[in-house]
Amino acid sequence: MTMSKDERTRTQAWDQAWAITVGGIGVVLFTALLAFTWYFAATVLLIFTGMLLGLGLNALTIALGRRVPLPHALRLAIVCTALALMLAGIAYLGGATIAEQASLLSKTLKSQLANVRSFLDSHGIDTSFFDLGNTASESSVNAPSEATPVPAAPSRGALPGAGALASSGGAIVSQTFKLLLGTIHGVGNIFIVLFLGLAFAAQPAVYHDGLLFLAPARHRTRVALVIDRIAETLERWLIAQIIVMLAVGAVTWIGLALIGIPGSFILGIQAGLLAFIPTVGAIIAGVIVVLASLASGWIPALSAFLLFMGVHAMESYALTPILQRQALDIPPATLFAFQILLGVVFGIWGLALALPLVAIAKVMIDHFKTYEEMPLAEAA
């Protein structure tokens, strides 16, 4: 049955209108997704952190399953229990040491930062735009000016007035409320990450199938392949990154202890944690180590700097290439550029999660490049 010219014209017009409508809806939805991600970036990245934790727990559970043939839920319970006992043991055995060394490190860093500012000021370098002298600045700001009359100190037997009591009481309540809100916010974020990680690790197949259900039926095979490759890449990267963090923390701790730097244990912990952030984390850890070592003299500081260079070389040229040569292959300049970009746009969350986000983008680009090259090769 042949169609008339008018019918063909109407059909073509209808198809064109439908294509424009679908394309417009797609553009609007994509724009809305970008706007949502922009305004709720902290929440989205928090959820992504929970997903990373779930992938790590699932990878450890699968690794345990290769040794012990137990149900998935039981293996996950064993992994979570082992991790919880390990953290509890570290907190029990080294909790007092960590708290003591953290307090000492904080005082040392403040003192060394003030010394650095004095050194720069003595050489004619303006440091007013650095917030290095908080103590001096606050004392100068809070100090009464000559034009402002200083209230007479109350006599020893006199009680403070109602205004003074209300003012001090309001300040105490305000600071307590801020501290309470900050604590609740931090603990709440940790709870959300732990809950999401456990939920994703407990039923990975459910969330995997849910993502596939969102994709069109004719593209589900490709989507499944991309999701599996992303999960495999991130799992390998997480396990390798944990090994790198433990190695960096242990070597830094032992090396600083041998040099005789106070607070070597807490410095090793912070170096291991900052190793999660490529390039930038190592620089921050090195600056902290050198500043903390300056209090012991120039020779210990130089030794700590050499130790930092050795640890950084071990991480960059030995551990990372060996452990992650099959997981990630991202040029350093590309990764550093994305770190700076995401750090400026999304803050500390973007800086810390730049590598896994870039890894996801790389897996998707490599897949689509391979998928497009296969038909061309077959046609040739």
Side-chain angles (χ1 to χ4, degrees):
M1 182 177 178
T2 59
M3 298 175 60
S4 64
K5 184 177 180 180
D6 294 338
E7 291 177 347
R8 285 198 303 268
T9 303
R10 284 195 299 268
T11 303
Q12 291 175 357
W14 171 258
D15 293 340
Q16 185 177 7
W18 174 254
I20 293 174
T21 303
V22 172
I25 293 174
V27 171
V28 171
L29 291 178
F30 182 73
T31 305
L33 180 62
L34 288 180
F36 178 84
T37 305
W38 175 265
Y39 286 107
F40 300 99
T43 304
V44 173
L45 294 176
L46 185 68
I47 295 174
F48 181 68
T49 305
M51 294 174 62
L52 285 179
L53 177 61
L55 286 173
L57 293 176
N58 187 56
L60 294 175
T61 303
I62 294 175
L64 180 62
R66 298 191 185 101
R67 303 288 187 274
V68 183
L70 293 174
H72 179 83
L74 184 56
R75 284 185 278 121
L76 177 61
I78 294 174
V79 169
C80 293
T81 303
L83 293 176
L85 290 176
M86 183 180 66
L87 293 176
I90 293 174
Y92 177 76
L93 296 176
T97 303
I98 293 174
E100 180 182 354
Q101 292 191 4
S103 176
L104 178 62
L105 178 63
S106 176
K107 295 178 181 178
T108 302
L109 290 178
K110 290 179 180 179
S111 174
Q112 295 306 316
L113 287 173
N115 293 336
V116 170
R117 181 183 181 184
S118 299
F119 176 80
L120 295 176
D121 287 337
S122 64
H123 287 75
I125 300 175
D126 184 18
T127 59
S128 59
F129 53 88
F130 289 110
D131 192 15
L132 300 179
N134 290 330
T135 304
S137 300
E138 290 175 2
S139 60
S140 62
V141 170
N142 295 330
S145 60
E146 296 180 357
T148 304
V150 179
S155 61
R156 182 173 300 178
L159 295 176
L165 286 176
S167 177
S168 60
I172 293 174
V173 172
S174 176
Q175 294 298 325
T176 304
F177 189 66
K178 291 180 180 178
L179 179 62
L180 181 61
L181 284 181
T183 303
I184 293 175
H185 181 71
V187 174
N189 288 342
I190 294 175
F191 176 78
I192 290 172
V193 171
L194 290 177
F195 177 79
L196 290 175
L198 290 174
F200 287 129
Q203 295 178 312
V206 173
Y207 302 99
H208 181 274
D209 296 341
L211 288 175
L212 291 182
F213 181 77
L214 296 176
R218 64 179 182 275
H219 296 303
R220 284 178 185 173
T221 303
R222 295 178 60 190
V223 173
L225 182 59
V226 172
I227 292 175
D228 292 340
R229 286 184 178 179
I230 290 175
E232 183 182 358
T233 300
L234 292 180
E235 286 175 0
R236 288 203 305 261
W237 169 76
L238 275 174
I239 294 177
Q241 195 66 27
I242 290 173
I243 296 174
V244 171
M245 292 169 63
L246 291 175
V248 170
V251 173
T252 303
W253 169 37
I254 295 173
L256 292 177
L258 293 176
I259 296 173
I261 303 299
S264 58
F265 187 59
I266 191 67
L267 287 171
I269 291 177
Q270 64 88 24
L273 293 176
L274 288 173
F276 183 83
I277 306 175
T279 309
V280 179
I283 295 174
I284 297 174
V287 171
I288 293 175
V289 167
V290 172
L291 284 176
S293 304
L294 285 174
S296 302
W298 286 103
I299 295 179
L302 179 60
S303 302
F305 177 74
L306 295 176
L307 173 66
F308 157 72
M309 295 298 294
V311 171
H312 181 61
M314 176 194 70
E315 175 192 358
S316 301
Y317 301 106
L319 289 177
T320 300
I322 292 174
L323 295 174
Q324 297 187 3
R325 64 176 180 267
Q326 295 180 351
L328 297 176
D329 186 17
I330 301 173
T334 302
L335 176 59
F336 185 71
F338 273 97
Q339 279 186 293
I340 299 301
L341 176 62
L342 295 179
V344 171
V345 176
F346 300 118
I348 187 63
W349 282 105
L351 188 65
L353 299 176
L355 181 55
L357 291 174
V358 174
I360 293 175
K362 183 178 183 299
V363 169
M364 297 179 65
I365 292 173
D366 291 344
H367 171 77
F368 287 111
K369 284 175 60 179
T370 304
Y371 185 83
E372 291 176 358
E373 290 174 357
M374 286 177 59
L376 294 177
E378 293 176 358

